Amino acid sequence: MNTDELVAIDVHTHAEVSAKGAHALDNDLYAASSAYFKVEGERKPTLEEMAAYYRERRMAAVVFTVDAESATGTPPVPNEEVAEAAAANPDVLIPFASLDPFRGRTAVKQARRLVAEYGVRGFKFHPSIQGFFPNDRDLAYALYEVLEETGSIALFHTGQTGIGAGVPGGGGIRLKYSNPLHVDDVAADFPQMKIILAHPSFPWQDEALAVATHKPGVHIDLSGWSPKYFPKQLVHYANTLLQDKVLFGSDYPVLTPDRWLADFAKLPLKDEVRPKILRDNAARLLGLAGPDPESRS
């Protein structure tokens, strides 16, 4: 992948449908989240359609499923299928995986295999949907040990979620699991593991900024929100203290990069900060570019 030819790297996109037709969420959750996000256009593109979409825009995209089968009863889009699509489209797709922590030792074995055999670069966790606290030592720490050992990135959903919004009882999804302060424990216990806090972390935005400022390995992606709704303190930190640790993410297909970028262009950011957020920070974090600025003498 030649990052110099890319306009941007989107670090947060979802594979929502398998080539065999299986979907990552049930119909009620799909419908509710589509209404919440006011989705425009195709909600369930195939992986090949995603590759073509990003290639047309001269962008790369990190792509993953969410494995929450223990909580939802719905099997995820297979991680292997996501990784194989990325291998077939290496100019635009970057494979992450997702493993349900409740799979226990099986998840640990799968993580090693996905990294070694499929070139997976990171793992997506959605604590609210998967129903676990990220700092649950008994449940998740063996899995994090593999991630730290293999140099894989851990991407955690943080803050409110559009999944379950408007459904009675929120579809049983509990927001408490996605407070970024739970990930602060993980960052302290696994200091060499690179972590991404996904989304503006409403209602815990200040907590996310504190964790990312305090822990060198913690980054923030800006997915799931139109930039015109970003909290002021998030924009301020992205423009100053965290300018090397904030990443462009859209949450495609619920939010398109076209819409996101149009609103991003209106933010009061320094000219030299924009390419960092859109491409350079992600390229470095994903190992597609040079070292972290903090490691330079």
Side-chain angles (χ1 to χ4, degrees):
M1 182 178 293
N2 186 346
T3 59
D4 291 337
E5 295 180 353
L6 296 174
V7 172
I9 300 174
D10 187 340
V11 302
H12 199 117
T13 74
H14 289 265
E16 298 203 330
V17 60
S18 166
K20 297 180 180 179
H23 296 160
L25 293 172
D26 66 37
N27 289 333
D28 288 342
L29 292 180
Y30 264 124
S33 61
S34 292
Y36 178 87
F37 284 105
K38 298 180 174 60
V39 174
E40 300 174 358
E42 177 54 54
R43 169 66 194 266
K44 301 174 184 177
T46 66
L47 285 158
E48 286 299 324
E49 288 170 341
M50 289 180 68
Y53 180 91
Y54 277 89
R55 187 176 292 116
E56 180 182 357
R57 287 157 177 77
R58 293 175 52 217
M59 298 180 192
V62 170
V63 60
F64 44 74
T65 184
V66 174
D67 180 3
E69 188 171 4
S70 295
T72 67
T74 302
V77 174
N79 289 308
E80 295 82 357
E81 183 178 332
V82 174
E84 288 168 355
N89 297 277
D91 57 319
V92 288
L93 296 184
I94 300 164
F96 274 31
S98 180
L99 291 169
D100 187 337
F102 288 96
R103 296 186 189 277
R105 293 180 180 178
T106 298
V108 173
K109 293 178 181 179
Q110 289 177 334
R112 290 190 183 280
R113 183 175 63 86
L114 287 164
V115 173
E117 298 180 15
Y118 288 89
V120 164
R121 292 175 178 265
F123 291 80
K124 164 66 183 286
F125 298 95
H126 199 308
S128 291
I129 296 179
Q130 292 172 319
F132 81 108
F133 286 108
N135 56 356
D136 186 328
R137 291 174 176 270
D138 294 336
L139 184 67
Y141 271 38
L143 188 51
Y144 301 153
E145 287 173 1
V146 175
L147 272 60
E148 186 174 54
E149 177 187 329
T150 59
S152 301
I153 298 167
L155 188 155
F156 292 91
H157 171 94
T158 63
Q160 185 178 348
T161 178
I163 306 301
V167 177
I173 294 168
R174 290 169 168 80
L175 303 181
K176 65 181 180 180
Y177 295 118
S178 292
N179 186 326
L181 282 182
H182 302 314
V183 183
D184 183 63
D185 286 341
V186 178
D189 293 334
F190 295 90
Q192 302 306 315
M193 184 169 71
K194 299 298 184 184
I195 293 172
I196 299 174
L197 302 176
H199 316 305
S201 303
F202 174 80
W204 301 293
Q205 183 63 81
D206 288 343
E207 287 86 339
L209 293 171
V211 175
T213 304
H214 190 255
K215 300 296 190 294
V218 176
H219 302 69
I220 292 175
D221 88 32
L222 301 174
S223 65
W225 289 45
S226 165
K228 66 183 178 181
Y229 299 121
F230 287 171
K232 291 182 179 179
Q233 67 269 40
L234 175 59
V235 176
H236 172 73
Y237 273 77
N239 210 22
T240 53
L241 290 176
L242 295 179
Q243 63 181 274
D244 294 312
K245 301 177 75 177
V246 173
L247 313 163
F248 160 49
S250 67
D251 220 3
Y252 182 80
V254 297
L255 182 62
T256 68
D258 296 346
R259 176 185 170 193
W260 193 99
L261 290 169
D263 290 338
F264 178 75
K266 300 172 185 177
L267 291 182
L269 295 172
K270 302 171 187 174
D271 289 343
E272 62 269 25
V273 169
R274 292 181 184 277
K276 291 183 177 184
I277 294 173
L278 291 177
R279 182 189 63 188
D280 298 345
N281 292 343
R284 187 178 59 253
L285 180 63
L286 292 163
L288 305 175
D292 289 336
E294 297 172 7
S295 68
R296 297 172 186 166
S297 57

